[in-house]
PDB file of all heavy atoms in Angstrom:
ATOM      1  N   ILE A 142       1.821   5.500   9.549  1.00 97.00           N
ATOM      2  CA  ILE A 142       3.069   5.622  10.301  1.00 97.00           C
ATOM      3  C   ILE A 142       3.592   4.206  10.668  1.00 97.00           C
ATOM      4  O   ILE A 142       4.746   3.918  10.558  1.00 97.00           O
ATOM      5  CB  ILE A 142       2.885   6.513  11.564  1.00 97.00           C
ATOM      6  CG1 ILE A 142       2.667   7.935  11.131  1.00 97.00           C
ATOM      7  CG2 ILE A 142       4.108   6.368  12.490  1.00 97.00           C
ATOM      8  CD1 ILE A 142       2.250   8.864  12.268  1.00 97.00           C
ATOM      9  N   LYS A 143       2.660   3.360  11.079  1.00 95.00           N
ATOM     10  CA  LYS A 143       3.052   1.981  11.490  1.00 95.00           C
ATOM     11  C   LYS A 143       3.750   1.236  10.393  1.00 95.00           C
ATOM     12  O   LYS A 143       4.718   0.535  10.600  1.00 95.00           O
ATOM     13  CB  LYS A 143       1.851   1.219  11.968  1.00 95.00           C
ATOM     14  CG  LYS A 143       2.147  -0.153  12.506  1.00 95.00           C
ATOM     15  CD  LYS A 143       1.000  -1.071  12.908  1.00 95.00           C
ATOM     16  CE  LYS A 143      -0.335  -0.537  13.128  1.00 95.00           C
ATOM     17  NZ  LYS A 143      -1.295  -1.603  13.578  1.00 95.00           N
ATOM     18  N   PHE A 144       3.227   1.364   9.147  1.00 94.00           N
ATOM     19  CA  PHE A 144       3.722   0.535   8.060  1.00 94.00           C
ATOM     20  C   PHE A 144       4.763   1.210   7.190  1.00 94.00           C
ATOM     21  O   PHE A 144       5.324   0.615   6.293  1.00 94.00           O
ATOM     22  CB  PHE A 144       2.554   0.044   7.175  1.00 94.00           C
ATOM     23  CG  PHE A 144       1.726  -0.949   7.878  1.00 94.00           C
ATOM     24  CD1 PHE A 144       0.477  -0.613   8.439  1.00 94.00           C
ATOM     25  CD2 PHE A 144       2.162  -2.261   8.084  1.00 94.00           C
ATOM     26  CE1 PHE A 144      -0.278  -1.571   9.100  1.00 94.00           C
ATOM     27  CE2 PHE A 144       1.372  -3.226   8.762  1.00 94.00           C
ATOM     28  CZ  PHE A 144       0.169  -2.863   9.252  1.00 94.00           C
ATOM     29  N   THR A 145       5.065   2.493   7.464  1.00 96.00           N
ATOM     30  CA  THR A 145       6.058   3.233   6.696  1.00 96.00           C
ATOM     31  C   THR A 145       7.362   3.247   7.453  1.00 96.00           C
ATOM     32  O   THR A 145       7.393   3.695   8.633  1.00 96.00           O
ATOM     33  CB  THR A 145       5.601   4.655   6.403  1.00 96.00           C
ATOM     34  OG1 THR A 145       4.372   4.571   5.691  1.00 96.00           O
ATOM     35  CG2 THR A 145       6.629   5.401   5.556  1.00 96.00           C
ATOM     36  N   GLU A 146       8.440   2.737   6.838  1.00 96.00           N
ATOM     37  CA  GLU A 146       9.727   2.732   7.510  1.00 96.00           C
ATOM     38  C   GLU A 146      10.622   3.883   7.148  1.00 96.00           C
ATOM     39  O   GLU A 146      11.424   4.292   7.944  1.00 96.00           O
ATOM     40  CB  GLU A 146      10.449   1.379   7.195  1.00 96.00           C
ATOM     41  CG  GLU A 146       9.753   0.140   7.741  1.00 96.00           C
ATOM     42  CD  GLU A 146       9.499   0.162   9.227  1.00 96.00           C
ATOM     43  OE1 GLU A 146      10.388   0.691   9.993  1.00 96.00           O
ATOM     44  OE2 GLU A 146       8.447  -0.307   9.689  1.00 96.00           O
ATOM     45  N   VAL A 147      10.481   4.399   5.928  1.00 96.00           N
ATOM     46  CA  VAL A 147      11.311   5.490   5.453  1.00 96.00           C
ATOM     47  C   VAL A 147      10.420   6.431   4.656  1.00 96.00           C
ATOM     48  O   VAL A 147       9.548   5.993   3.899  1.00 96.00           O
ATOM     49  CB  VAL A 147      12.448   4.939   4.544  1.00 96.00           C
ATOM     50  CG1 VAL A 147      13.238   6.045   3.913  1.00 96.00           C
ATOM     51  CG2 VAL A 147      13.337   3.976   5.304  1.00 96.00           C
ATOM     52  N   GLY A 148      10.679   7.735   4.803  1.00 96.00           N
ATOM     53  CA  GLY A 148       9.966   8.712   3.952  1.00 96.00           C
ATOM     54  C   GLY A 148       9.010   9.541   4.702  1.00 96.00           C
ATOM     55  O   GLY A 148       9.357  10.129   5.732  1.00 96.00           O
ATOM     56  N   GLU A 149       7.768   9.606   4.203  1.00 97.00           N
ATOM     57  CA  GLU A 149       6.815  10.530   4.814  1.00 97.00           C
ATOM     58  C   GLU A 149       5.363  10.006   4.847  1.00 97.00           C
ATOM     59  O   GLU A 149       5.029   9.054   4.128  1.00 97.00           O
ATOM     60  CB  GLU A 149       6.836  11.813   3.989  1.00 97.00           C
ATOM     61  CG  GLU A 149       6.101  11.746   2.626  1.00 97.00           C
ATOM     62  CD  GLU A 149       5.843  13.080   2.043  1.00 97.00           C
ATOM     63  OE1 GLU A 149       5.784  14.140   2.739  1.00 97.00           O
ATOM     64  OE2 GLU A 149       5.738  13.097   0.821  1.00 97.00           O
ATOM     65  N   VAL A 150       4.652  10.691   5.659  1.00 98.00           N
ATOM     66  CA  VAL A 150       3.171  10.525   5.741  1.00 98.00           C
ATOM     67  C   VAL A 150       2.617  11.904   5.645  1.00 98.00           C
ATOM     68  O   VAL A 150       3.073  12.845   6.318  1.00 98.00           O
ATOM     69  CB  VAL A 150       2.754   9.854   7.077  1.00 98.00           C
ATOM     70  CG1 VAL A 150       1.217   9.837   7.197  1.00 98.00           C
ATOM     71  CG2 VAL A 150       3.316   8.437   7.174  1.00 98.00           C
ATOM     72  N   ALA A 151       1.675  12.087   4.708  1.00 98.00           N
ATOM     73  CA  ALA A 151       1.047  13.390   4.501  1.00 98.00           C
ATOM     74  C   ALA A 151      -0.430  13.325   4.659  1.00 98.00           C
ATOM     75  O   ALA A 151      -1.119  12.384   4.244  1.00 98.00           O
ATOM     76  CB  ALA A 151       1.399  13.887   3.086  1.00 98.00           C
ATOM     77  N   ILE A 152      -0.976  14.363   5.299  1.00 98.00           N
ATOM     78  CA  ILE A 152      -2.430  14.506   5.504  1.00 98.00           C
ATOM     79  C   ILE A 152      -2.884  15.702   4.714  1.00 98.00           C
ATOM     80  O   ILE A 152      -2.315  16.795   4.861  1.00 98.00           O
ATOM     81  CB  ILE A 152      -2.808  14.706   6.994  1.00 98.00           C
ATOM     82  CG1 ILE A 152      -2.147  13.662   7.881  1.00 98.00           C
ATOM     83  CG2 ILE A 152      -4.327  14.695   7.170  1.00 98.00           C
ATOM     84  CD1 ILE A 152      -2.171  13.989   9.385  1.00 98.00           C
ATOM     85  N   GLU A 153      -3.891  15.544   3.885  1.00 98.00           N
ATOM     86  CA  GLU A 153      -4.390  16.631   3.075  1.00 98.00           C
ATOM     87  C   GLU A 153      -5.902  16.799   3.295  1.00 98.00           C
ATOM     88  O   GLU A 153      -6.605  15.817   3.451  1.00 98.00           O
ATOM     89  CB  GLU A 153      -4.114  16.401   1.594  1.00 98.00           C
ATOM     90  CG  GLU A 153      -2.638  16.307   1.283  1.00 98.00           C
ATOM     91  CD  GLU A 153      -2.373  15.964  -0.174  1.00 98.00           C
ATOM     92  OE1 GLU A 153      -3.324  15.957  -0.979  1.00 98.00           O
ATOM     93  OE2 GLU A 153      -1.227  15.670  -0.503  1.00 98.00           O
ATOM     94  N   ALA A 154      -6.341  18.055   3.341  1.00 98.00           N
ATOM     95  CA  ALA A 154      -7.759  18.340   3.489  1.00 98.00           C
ATOM     96  C   ALA A 154      -8.154  19.444   2.492  1.00 98.00           C
ATOM     97  O   ALA A 154      -7.491  20.456   2.410  1.00 98.00           O
ATOM     98  CB  ALA A 154      -8.045  18.777   4.938  1.00 98.00           C
ATOM     99  N   SER A 155      -9.249  19.173   1.776  1.00 98.00           N
ATOM    100  CA  SER A 155      -9.750  20.159   0.840  1.00 98.00           C
ATOM    101  C   SER A 155     -11.279  20.015   0.728  1.00 98.00           C
ATOM    102  O   SER A 155     -11.871  19.124   1.355  1.00 98.00           O
ATOM    103  CB  SER A 155      -9.076  19.950  -0.530  1.00 98.00           C
ATOM    104  OG  SER A 155      -9.389  18.652  -1.020  1.00 98.00           O
ATOM    105  N   CYS A 156     -11.846  20.845  -0.078  1.00 97.00           N
ATOM    106  CA  CYS A 156     -13.303  20.826  -0.250  1.00 97.00           C
ATOM    107  C   CYS A 156     -13.635  21.163  -1.685  1.00 97.00           C
ATOM    108  O   CYS A 156     -13.045  22.081  -2.276  1.00 97.00           O
ATOM    109  CB  CYS A 156     -13.945  21.841   0.701  1.00 97.00           C
ATOM    110  SG  CYS A 156     -15.704  21.989   0.506  1.00 97.00           S
ATOM    111  N   SER A 157     -14.531  20.402  -2.299  1.00 94.00           N
ATOM    112  CA  SER A 157     -15.069  20.719  -3.624  1.00 94.00           C
ATOM    113  C   SER A 157     -16.365  19.982  -3.861  1.00 94.00           C
ATOM    114  O   SER A 157     -16.588  18.938  -3.269  1.00 94.00           O
ATOM    115  CB  SER A 157     -14.041  20.384  -4.711  1.00 94.00           C
ATOM    116  OG  SER A 157     -13.820  18.986  -4.770  1.00 94.00           O
ATOM    117  N   ASP A 158     -17.198  20.592  -4.663  1.00 91.00           N
ATOM    118  CA  ASP A 158     -18.492  19.942  -5.030  1.00 91.00           C
ATOM    119  C   ASP A 158     -19.329  19.506  -3.822  1.00 91.00           C
ATOM    120  O   ASP A 158     -19.902  18.437  -3.847  1.00 91.00           O
ATOM    121  CB  ASP A 158     -18.258  18.754  -5.978  1.00 91.00           C
ATOM    122  CG  ASP A 158     -17.517  19.165  -7.245  1.00 91.00           C
ATOM    123  OD1 ASP A 158     -17.792  20.290  -7.752  1.00 91.00           O
ATOM    124  OD2 ASP A 158     -16.707  18.343  -7.749  1.00 91.00           O
ATOM    125  N   GLY A 159     -19.345  20.320  -2.762  1.00 91.00           N
ATOM    126  CA  GLY A 159     -20.152  20.004  -1.605  1.00 91.00           C
ATOM    127  C   GLY A 159     -19.625  18.901  -0.723  1.00 91.00           C
ATOM    128  O   GLY A 159     -20.368  18.371   0.062  1.00 91.00           O
ATOM    129  N   SER A 160     -18.351  18.530  -0.887  1.00 96.00           N
ATOM    130  CA  SER A 160     -17.804  17.444  -0.095  1.00 96.00           C
ATOM    131  C   SER A 160     -16.388  17.804   0.414  1.00 96.00           C
ATOM    132  O   SER A 160     -15.658  18.540  -0.266  1.00 96.00           O
ATOM    133  CB  SER A 160     -17.644  16.180  -0.961  1.00 96.00           C
ATOM    134  OG  SER A 160     -18.865  15.662  -1.333  1.00 96.00           O
ATOM    135  N   PHE A 161     -16.095  17.324   1.581  1.00 98.00           N
ATOM    136  CA  PHE A 161     -14.699  17.384   2.098  1.00 98.00           C
ATOM    137  C   PHE A 161     -13.971  16.199   1.479  1.00 98.00           C
ATOM    138  O   PHE A 161     -14.501  15.151   1.285  1.00 98.00           O
ATOM    139  CB  PHE A 161     -14.658  17.247   3.616  1.00 98.00           C
ATOM    140  CG  PHE A 161     -15.153  18.444   4.338  1.00 98.00           C
ATOM    141  CD1 PHE A 161     -16.241  18.336   5.201  1.00 98.00           C
ATOM    142  CD2 PHE A 161     -14.553  19.687   4.223  1.00 98.00           C
ATOM    143  CE1 PHE A 161     -16.688  19.459   5.892  1.00 98.00           C
ATOM    144  CE2 PHE A 161     -15.017  20.775   4.923  1.00 98.00           C
ATOM    145  CZ  PHE A 161     -16.081  20.675   5.752  1.00 98.00           C
ATOM    146  N   ARG A 162     -12.699  16.427   1.248  1.00 98.00           N
ATOM    147  CA  ARG A 162     -11.786  15.368   0.788  1.00 98.00           C
ATOM    148  C   ARG A 162     -10.610  15.346   1.787  1.00 98.00           C
ATOM    149  O   ARG A 162      -9.930  16.307   1.906  1.00 98.00           O
ATOM    150  CB  ARG A 162     -11.298  15.613  -0.620  1.00 98.00           C
ATOM    151  CG  ARG A 162     -10.395  14.553  -1.108  1.00 98.00           C
ATOM    152  CD  ARG A 162      -9.833  14.877  -2.516  1.00 98.00           C
ATOM    153  NE  ARG A 162      -8.767  13.994  -2.908  1.00 98.00           N
ATOM    154  CZ  ARG A 162      -7.502  14.050  -2.535  1.00 98.00           C
ATOM    155  NH1 ARG A 162      -7.067  15.061  -1.695  1.00 98.00           N
ATOM    156  NH2 ARG A 162      -6.614  13.182  -2.942  1.00 98.00           N
ATOM    157  N   LEU A 163     -10.497  14.248   2.461  1.00 98.00           N
ATOM    158  CA  LEU A 163      -9.306  14.033   3.385  1.00 98.00           C
ATOM    159  C   LEU A 163      -8.518  12.894   2.810  1.00 98.00           C
ATOM    160  O   LEU A 163      -9.069  11.825   2.520  1.00 98.00           O
ATOM    161  CB  LEU A 163      -9.812  13.653   4.797  1.00 98.00           C
ATOM    162  CG  LEU A 163     -10.635  14.706   5.508  1.00 98.00           C
ATOM    163  CD1 LEU A 163     -11.311  14.101   6.748  1.00 98.00           C
ATOM    164  CD2 LEU A 163      -9.760  15.875   5.960  1.00 98.00           C
ATOM    165  N   ALA A 164      -7.212  13.103   2.685  1.00 98.00           N
ATOM    166  CA  ALA A 164      -6.338  12.070   2.141  1.00 98.00           C
ATOM    167  C   ALA A 164      -5.171  11.862   3.059  1.00 98.00           C
ATOM    168  O   ALA A 164      -4.596  12.834   3.609  1.00 98.00           O
ATOM    169  CB  ALA A 164      -5.905  12.450   0.716  1.00 98.00           C
ATOM    170  N   VAL A 165      -4.799  10.593   3.205  1.00 98.00           N
ATOM    171  CA  VAL A 165      -3.620  10.234   3.966  1.00 98.00           C
ATOM    172  C   VAL A 165      -2.720   9.436   2.984  1.00 98.00           C
ATOM    173  O   VAL A 165      -3.094   8.384   2.543  1.00 98.00           O
ATOM    174  CB  VAL A 165      -3.958   9.368   5.196  1.00 98.00           C
ATOM    175  CG1 VAL A 165      -2.698   8.883   5.891  1.00 98.00           C
ATOM    176  CG2 VAL A 165      -4.860  10.121   6.137  1.00 98.00           C
ATOM    177  N   ARG A 166      -1.558  10.015   2.698  1.00 98.00           N
ATOM    178  CA  ARG A 166      -0.662   9.448   1.753  1.00 98.00           C
ATOM    179  C   ARG A 166       0.629   9.022   2.459  1.00 98.00           C
ATOM    180  O   ARG A 166       1.131   9.760   3.335  1.00 98.00           O
ATOM    181  CB  ARG A 166      -0.313  10.451   0.654  1.00 98.00           C
ATOM    182  CG  ARG A 166       0.567  10.015  -0.452  1.00 98.00           C
ATOM    183  CD  ARG A 166       0.802  11.075  -1.486  1.00 98.00           C
ATOM    184  NE  ARG A 166       0.956  12.434  -1.007  1.00 98.00           N
ATOM    185  CZ  ARG A 166       2.088  12.940  -0.489  1.00 98.00           C
ATOM    186  NH1 ARG A 166       3.157  12.211  -0.406  1.00 98.00           N
ATOM    187  NH2 ARG A 166       2.120  14.186  -0.084  1.00 98.00           N
ATOM    188  N   ASP A 167       1.134   7.864   2.132  1.00 98.00           N
ATOM    189  CA  ASP A 167       2.408   7.425   2.728  1.00 98.00           C
ATOM    190  C   ASP A 167       3.371   6.869   1.669  1.00 98.00           C
ATOM    191  O   ASP A 167       2.981   6.587   0.542  1.00 98.00           O
ATOM    192  CB  ASP A 167       2.170   6.367   3.835  1.00 98.00           C
ATOM    193  CG  ASP A 167       1.568   5.075   3.297  1.00 98.00           C
ATOM    194  OD1 ASP A 167       2.248   4.438   2.469  1.00 98.00           O
ATOM    195  OD2 ASP A 167       0.506   4.660   3.728  1.00 98.00           O
ATOM    196  N   SER A 168       4.611   6.752   2.087  1.00 96.00           N
ATOM    197  CA  SER A 168       5.635   6.173   1.225  1.00 96.00           C
ATOM    198  C   SER A 168       6.019   4.732   1.639  1.00 96.00           C
ATOM    199  O   SER A 168       7.125   4.313   1.449  1.00 96.00           O
ATOM    200  CB  SER A 168       6.878   7.062   1.220  1.00 96.00           C
ATOM    201  OG  SER A 168       7.405   7.182   2.510  1.00 96.00           O
ATOM    202  N   GLY A 169       4.997   4.077   2.241  1.00 95.00           N
ATOM    203  CA  GLY A 169       5.209   2.705   2.754  1.00 95.00           C
ATOM    204  C   GLY A 169       5.249   1.646   1.676  1.00 95.00           C
ATOM    205  O   GLY A 169       5.437   1.983   0.506  1.00 95.00           O
ATOM    206  N   PRO A 170       5.067   0.381   2.069  1.00 94.00           N
ATOM    207  CA  PRO A 170       5.265  -0.729   1.180  1.00 94.00           C
ATOM    208  C   PRO A 170       4.156  -0.870   0.107  1.00 94.00           C
ATOM    209  O   PRO A 170       4.360  -1.602  -0.852  1.00 94.00           O
ATOM    210  CB  PRO A 170       5.278  -1.937   2.106  1.00 94.00           C
ATOM    211  CG  PRO A 170       4.427  -1.511   3.284  1.00 94.00           C
ATOM    212  CD  PRO A 170       4.750  -0.020   3.446  1.00 94.00           C
ATOM    213  N   GLY A 171       3.040  -0.213   0.279  1.00 94.00           N
ATOM    214  CA  GLY A 171       1.951  -0.369  -0.662  1.00 94.00           C
ATOM    215  C   GLY A 171       1.119  -1.621  -0.383  1.00 94.00           C
ATOM    216  O   GLY A 171       1.515  -2.456   0.445  1.00 94.00           O
ATOM    217  N   ILE A 172      -0.001  -1.740  -1.099  1.00 92.00           N
ATOM    218  CA  ILE A 172      -0.926  -2.838  -0.928  1.00 92.00           C
ATOM    219  C   ILE A 172      -1.223  -3.426  -2.267  1.00 92.00           C
ATOM    220  O   ILE A 172      -1.562  -2.668  -3.194  1.00 92.00           O
ATOM    221  CB  ILE A 172      -2.233  -2.377  -0.236  1.00 92.00           C
ATOM    222  CG1 ILE A 172      -1.932  -1.663   1.074  1.00 92.00           C
ATOM    223  CG2 ILE A 172      -3.193  -3.542  -0.055  1.00 92.00           C
ATOM    224  CD1 ILE A 172      -3.087  -0.859   1.636  1.00 92.00           C
ATOM    225  N   ALA A 173      -1.061  -4.713  -2.403  1.00 92.00           N
ATOM    226  CA  ALA A 173      -1.308  -5.387  -3.679  1.00 92.00           C
ATOM    227  C   ALA A 173      -2.777  -5.188  -4.091  1.00 92.00           C
ATOM    228  O   ALA A 173      -3.669  -5.122  -3.234  1.00 92.00           O
ATOM    229  CB  ALA A 173      -1.017  -6.885  -3.567  1.00 92.00           C
ATOM    230  N   ALA A 174      -3.033  -5.066  -5.378  1.00 90.00           N
ATOM    231  CA  ALA A 174      -4.365  -4.838  -5.903  1.00 90.00           C
ATOM    232  C   ALA A 174      -5.341  -5.910  -5.404  1.00 90.00           C
ATOM    233  O   ALA A 174      -6.479  -5.594  -5.036  1.00 90.00           O
ATOM    234  CB  ALA A 174      -4.338  -4.848  -7.427  1.00 90.00           C
ATOM    235  N   ALA A 175      -4.904  -7.158  -5.312  1.00 88.00           N
ATOM    236  CA  ALA A 175      -5.777  -8.262  -4.844  1.00 88.00           C
ATOM    237  C   ALA A 175      -6.181  -8.051  -3.407  1.00 88.00           C
ATOM    238  O   ALA A 175      -7.242  -8.581  -3.010  1.00 88.00           O
ATOM    239  CB  ALA A 175      -5.049  -9.580  -5.047  1.00 88.00           C
ATOM    240  N   ASP A 176      -5.380  -7.384  -2.619  1.00 89.00           N
ATOM    241  CA  ASP A 176      -5.676  -7.231  -1.199  1.00 89.00           C
ATOM    242  C   ASP A 176      -6.475  -5.953  -0.878  1.00 89.00           C
ATOM    243  O   ASP A 176      -7.039  -5.796   0.228  1.00 89.00           O
ATOM    244  CB  ASP A 176      -4.388  -7.165  -0.406  1.00 89.00           C
ATOM    245  CG  ASP A 176      -3.678  -8.507  -0.383  1.00 89.00           C
ATOM    246  OD1 ASP A 176      -4.379  -9.534  -0.405  1.00 89.00           O
ATOM    247  OD2 ASP A 176      -2.448  -8.492  -0.354  1.00 89.00           O
ATOM    248  N   GLN A 177      -6.556  -4.990  -1.832  1.00 88.00           N
ATOM    249  CA  GLN A 177      -7.164  -3.710  -1.530  1.00 88.00           C
ATOM    250  C   GLN A 177      -8.661  -3.769  -1.159  1.00 88.00           C
ATOM    251  O   GLN A 177      -9.063  -3.055  -0.276  1.00 88.00           O
ATOM    252  CB  GLN A 177      -6.933  -2.726  -2.739  1.00 88.00           C
ATOM    253  CG  GLN A 177      -5.466  -2.343  -2.836  1.00 88.00           C
ATOM    254  CD  GLN A 177      -5.194  -1.420  -3.987  1.00 88.00           C
ATOM    255  OE1 GLN A 177      -6.050  -0.673  -4.418  1.00 88.00           O
ATOM    256  NE2 GLN A 177      -3.959  -1.483  -4.451  1.00 88.00           N
ATOM    257  N   ALA A 178      -9.397  -4.644  -1.765  1.00 79.00           N
ATOM    258  CA  ALA A 178     -10.823  -4.748  -1.407  1.00 79.00           C
ATOM    259  C   ALA A 178     -11.029  -5.391  -0.047  1.00 79.00           C
ATOM    260  O   ALA A 178     -11.955  -5.036   0.675  1.00 79.00           O
ATOM    261  CB  ALA A 178     -11.571  -5.509  -2.478  1.00 79.00           C
ATOM    262  N   LYS A 179     -10.156  -6.344   0.283  1.00 86.00           N
ATOM    263  CA  LYS A 179     -10.296  -7.091   1.507  1.00 86.00           C
ATOM    264  C   LYS A 179      -9.973  -6.304   2.767  1.00 86.00           C
ATOM    265  O   LYS A 179     -10.492  -6.588   3.836  1.00 86.00           O
ATOM    266  CB  LYS A 179      -9.374  -8.324   1.520  1.00 86.00           C
ATOM    267  CG  LYS A 179      -9.721  -9.368   0.486  1.00 86.00           C
ATOM    268  CD  LYS A 179      -8.936 -10.657   0.699  1.00 86.00           C
ATOM    269  CE  LYS A 179      -7.485 -10.420   0.502  1.00 86.00           C
ATOM    270  NZ  LYS A 179      -6.694 -11.636   0.475  1.00 86.00           N
ATOM    271  N   ILE A 180      -9.124  -5.290   2.657  1.00 89.00           N
ATOM    272  CA  ILE A 180      -8.659  -4.602   3.861  1.00 89.00           C
ATOM    273  C   ILE A 180      -9.778  -3.866   4.627  1.00 89.00           C
ATOM    274  O   ILE A 180      -9.605  -3.564   5.802  1.00 89.00           O
ATOM    275  CB  ILE A 180      -7.486  -3.646   3.597  1.00 89.00           C
ATOM    276  CG1 ILE A 180      -7.898  -2.545   2.605  1.00 89.00           C
ATOM    277  CG2 ILE A 180      -6.295  -4.414   3.104  1.00 89.00           C
ATOM    278  CD1 ILE A 180      -6.855  -1.483   2.440  1.00 89.00           C
ATOM    279  N   PHE A 181     -10.890  -3.600   3.963  1.00 84.00           N
ATOM    280  CA  PHE A 181     -11.981  -2.898   4.641  1.00 84.00           C
ATOM    281  C   PHE A 181     -12.980  -3.874   5.293  1.00 84.00           C
ATOM    282  O   PHE A 181     -13.950  -3.450   5.875  1.00 84.00           O
ATOM    283  CB  PHE A 181     -12.724  -2.012   3.671  1.00 84.00           C
ATOM    284  CG  PHE A 181     -11.876  -0.828   3.199  1.00 84.00           C
ATOM    285  CD1 PHE A 181     -11.364  -0.802   1.912  1.00 84.00           C
ATOM    286  CD2 PHE A 181     -11.616   0.204   4.067  1.00 84.00           C
ATOM    287  CE1 PHE A 181     -10.605   0.272   1.531  1.00 84.00           C
ATOM    288  CE2 PHE A 181     -10.861   1.293   3.689  1.00 84.00           C
ATOM    289  CZ  PHE A 181     -10.299   1.322   2.394  1.00 84.00           C
ATOM    290  N   GLU A 182     -12.711  -5.183   5.185  1.00 79.00           N
ATOM    291  CA  GLU A 182     -13.569  -6.188   5.818  1.00 79.00           C
ATOM    292  C   GLU A 182     -13.087  -6.464   7.232  1.00 79.00           C
ATOM    293  O   GLU A 182     -11.898  -6.412   7.482  1.00 79.00           O
ATOM    294  CB  GLU A 182     -13.550  -7.510   4.993  1.00 79.00           C
ATOM    295  CG  GLU A 182     -14.119  -7.340   3.582  1.00 79.00           C
ATOM    296  CD  GLU A 182     -13.926  -8.551   2.729  1.00 79.00           C
ATOM    297  OE1 GLU A 182     -13.542  -9.583   3.234  1.00 79.00           O
ATOM    298  OE2 GLU A 182     -14.113  -8.407   1.508  1.00 79.00           O
ATOM    299  N   GLU A 183     -13.992  -6.820   8.113  1.00 67.00           N
ATOM    300  CA  GLU A 183     -13.635  -7.123   9.530  1.00 67.00           C
ATOM    301  C   GLU A 183     -12.632  -8.278   9.583  1.00 67.00           C
ATOM    302  O   GLU A 183     -12.773  -9.285   8.843  1.00 67.00           O
ATOM    303  CB  GLU A 183     -14.872  -7.526  10.333  1.00 67.00           C
ATOM    304  CG  GLU A 183     -15.722  -6.334  10.634  1.00 67.00           C
ATOM    305  CD  GLU A 183     -16.892  -6.680  11.532  1.00 67.00           C
ATOM    306  OE1 GLU A 183     -17.016  -7.836  12.000  1.00 67.00           O
ATOM    307  OE2 GLU A 183     -17.667  -5.773  11.837  1.00 67.00           O
ATOM    308  N   PHE A 184     -11.646  -8.093  10.425  1.00 52.00           N
ATOM    309  CA  PHE A 184     -10.612  -9.124  10.749  1.00 52.00           C
ATOM    310  C   PHE A 184      -9.762  -9.498   9.550  1.00 52.00           C
ATOM    311  O   PHE A 184      -9.181 -10.543   9.526  1.00 52.00           O
ATOM    312  CB  PHE A 184     -11.249 -10.363  11.368  1.00 52.00           C
ATOM    313  CG  PHE A 184     -12.068 -10.081  12.610  1.00 52.00           C
ATOM    314  CD1 PHE A 184     -13.431 -10.240  12.568  1.00 52.00           C
ATOM    315  CD2 PHE A 184     -11.469  -9.629  13.750  1.00 52.00           C
ATOM    316  CE1 PHE A 184     -14.189  -9.961  13.718  1.00 52.00           C
ATOM    317  CE2 PHE A 184     -12.235  -9.343  14.867  1.00 52.00           C
ATOM    318  CZ  PHE A 184     -13.587  -9.494  14.832  1.00 52.00           C
ATOM    319  N   GLN A 185      -9.734  -8.634   8.549  1.00 48.00           N
ATOM    320  CA  GLN A 185      -8.911  -8.895   7.363  1.00 48.00           C
ATOM    321  C   GLN A 185      -7.663  -7.991   7.416  1.00 48.00           C
ATOM    322  O   GLN A 185      -7.784  -6.807   7.649  1.00 48.00           O
ATOM    323  CB  GLN A 185      -9.693  -8.646   6.094  1.00 48.00           C
ATOM    324  CG  GLN A 185     -10.830  -9.570   5.897  1.00 48.00           C
ATOM    325  CD  GLN A 185     -10.379 -11.019   5.753  1.00 48.00           C
ATOM    326  OE1 GLN A 185      -9.465 -11.353   5.017  1.00 48.00           O
ATOM    327  NE2 GLN A 185     -11.041 -11.901   6.506  1.00 48.00           N
ATOM    328  N   GLN A 186      -6.565  -8.598   7.136  1.00 50.00           N
ATOM    329  CA  GLN A 186      -5.313  -7.840   7.027  1.00 50.00           C
ATOM    330  C   GLN A 186      -4.574  -8.404   5.826  1.00 50.00           C
ATOM    331  O   GLN A 186      -4.745  -9.560   5.447  1.00 50.00           O
ATOM    332  CB  GLN A 186      -4.450  -7.955   8.265  1.00 50.00           C
ATOM    333  CG  GLN A 186      -5.053  -7.398   9.487  1.00 50.00           C
ATOM    334  CD  GLN A 186      -4.144  -7.518  10.703  1.00 50.00           C
ATOM    335  OE1 GLN A 186      -3.592  -8.585  10.887  1.00 50.00           O
ATOM    336  NE2 GLN A 186      -4.113  -6.545  11.536  1.00 50.00           N
TER     337      GLN A 186
END
């Protein structure tokens, strides 16, 4: 919600193969491939 200015945010929940799958999809600006690994590290944005 914070990073999406126009469009939607969707939350999906399902189950298969003994696992839950929760997905949060947005129509925001996206994240460059080079930044995708870093965003899960502490103090990285």
Side-chain angles (χ1 to χ4, degrees):
I142 292 169
K143 182 184 345 181
F144 290 103
T145 301
E146 295 303 324
V147 175
E149 75 168 335
V150 173
I152 310 166
E153 298 175 9
S155 60
C156 177
S157 65
D158 300 326
S160 296
F161 288 119
R162 180 185 171 278
L163 297 166
V165 176
R166 182 178 40 80
D167 66 59
S168 58
I172 303 165
D176 292 326
Q177 290 178 27
K179 293 190 297 190
I180 61 172
F181 292 107
E182 297 172 11
E183 287 185 2
F184 305 111
Q185 295 297 312
Q186 294 179 321

